[in-house]
Amino acid sequence: DEFDLVGFYDLKDAAKVEETRERRVVRMGCIQHSIALPTDSPVSQQKQAIFDKIEKMIGAAAAQDANMICLQEAWNMPFAFCTREMLPWTEFAEDIKNGESFDFISGLAKNYNMVIMSPILEHDSKRGVMHNTCVFIDNNGKFIGKHEKNHIPRVGDFNESTYYESGKTGWPVFETEFGKVAVNICYGRHHPLNWFCFSLNGAEIVFNPSATVDSLSESLWAIEVIIL
């Protein structure tokens, strides 16, 4: 259960002290993790093993006084969207408010006084569809909203429309105790208007949860960061 804990603080880019407003310090964390059990293990056991792993990571972030945490894309399951297989992967899908992941993360958010962004594979039972969704949970453990991934990769084996539909939530921004936050899920980072629209809607912080590997799209950050 070992993991790396790394902190970043760039003094030269720190906000300047203002005369009329008190400085606000927000400590943010991002968690990237591997699977916890072999993918042929029972779904319930895989999910619980990931929960156990994440609980320790969020606890470590809380010990460093993190105010906000964003988990990786589809954090509560193996990243199986490149397999073109429906089962067992769709069994990891959950209701955004009544699923195991919400109950689990909500408890941690309340316990640590932390806002947590929880991206999962959502099963919308009312509409009978699935979405790649980020659930926003405030520092009281309450549901404050969601954002559905609005751009789906269709590149080689990464035809993720096999699993879920394009989102229809627009570019929501949620006001929390620690700032106005939004999430641009994974492939959405390659679309400049996503960043632009989140900014227009008042976002002060935009996370980009992703399950990609460094060799796949890391090189694009140098180009895309210019837009940001």
Side-chain angles (χ1 to χ4, degrees), residues 20-79:
T20 58
R21 292 192 301 178
E22 185 178 347
R23 173 180 283 183
R24 180 181 51 166
V25 176
V26 180
R27 294 180 175 87
M28 296 170 283
C30 299
I31 291 179
Q32 199 87 3
H33 65 89
S34 58
I35 60 175
L37 287 180
T39 55
D40 58 357
S41 302
V43 169
S44 59
Q45 292 181 19
Q46 288 189 62
K47 187 178 290 189
Q48 185 58 55
I50 292 174
F51 283 12
D52 294 342
K53 190 172 192 175
I54 288 298
E55 185 170 14
K56 294 175 182 178
M57 292 180 170
I58 291 179
Q64 301 301 314
D65 298 322
N67 304 119
M68 290 185 174
I69 287 287
C70 187
L71 302 176
Q72 73 184 38
E73 181 186 20
W75 69 268
N76 65 334
M77 61 180 289
F79 193 80

Side-chain angles (χ1 to χ4, degrees), residues 4 27 44 87 120 122 162 192 206:
D4 295 325
R27 294 180 175 87
S44 59
L87 294 175
I120 64 169
E122 175 192 0
T162 302
V206 184

Side-chain angles (χ1 to χ4, degrees), residues 28 41 43 72 100 114 117 124 142 144 160 186 203:
M28 296 170 283
S41 302
V43 169
Q72 73 184 38
E100 296 171 291
M114 182 188 293
M117 277 58 71
D124 185 337
K142 304 296 185 183
I144 53 175
E160 297 182 15
C186 197

